[in-house]
Amino acid sequence: AQSVAQPEDQVNVAEGNPLTVKCTYSVSGNPYLFWYVQYPNRGLQFLLKYITGDNLVKGSYGFEAEFNKSQTSFHLKKPSALVSDSALYFCAVLNADSGTYKYIFGTGTRLKVLA
Amino acid sequence: NAGVTQTPKFRILKIGQSMTLQCAQDMNHNYMYWYRQDPGMGLKLIYYSVGAGITDKGEVPNGYNVSRSTTEDFPLRLELAAPSQTSVYFCASSELDRGLYEQYFGPGTRLTVT
């Protein structure tokens, strides 16, 4: 079965420090991987994606993520956190080989950046 | 472009009532999705559509129905509302055929069934 795991319900980081939000996945075919951010009472906003090519992908607001095929991970990172980065972050995967067009989402990680 | 729009923003239903959640997108995307978001549970797929006239069940379809008569609109129908359907509902669209794999989400509808 396909799945996405975000092992941390919450991550706390001091403003200015680097942040990492973890994501691991399990799919039988080629994974297309995504990160989304959700601010309170809003819909999800796309941050970045890995489809193919360079394992390090850069996205909106200074975020980046590294695709690691051997560890089946796609951790979200930012070199210097801002208080405004505080939000709920979701990792998602699409099995490119399945032909089902269904995205699988993790349960979300709440990021708190402390001033 | 308005992107993905959803109405209403909030709704309170009594048990047994029915309603339709509206979703529209103006990006000419073929793929549209309905999710529900429960606290601490992430997003669960209710139904999805790969084009006008084509719909399929997701992970949690019971108690819901959809239709897709046009590319733009993808309404979600709740028949005989139950307290278990209290949730936040999100509509999303994407365009896999053109290589736009990321999803675009609407602002959500917060539904309470009492």
Side-chain angles (χ1 to χ4, degrees), chain A residues 45-64:
Chain A
Q45 294 177 39
F46 169 71
L47 274 181
L48 51 78
K49 65 185 175 188
Y50 171 81
I51 303 300
T52 187
D54 195 346
N55 288 345
L56 183 65
V57 292
K58 295 186 184 297
S60 307
Y61 313 120
F63 283 95
E64 59 189 29

Side-chain angles (χ1 to χ4, degrees), chain A residues 32-53:
Chain A
Y32 290 175
L33 293 153
F34 308 85
W35 276 103
Y36 293 87
V37 60
Q38 185 180 32
Y39 297 101
N41 301 314
R42 304 286 293 274
L44 279 69
Q45 294 177 39
F46 169 71
L47 274 181
L48 51 78
K49 65 185 175 188
Y50 171 81
I51 303 300
T52 187

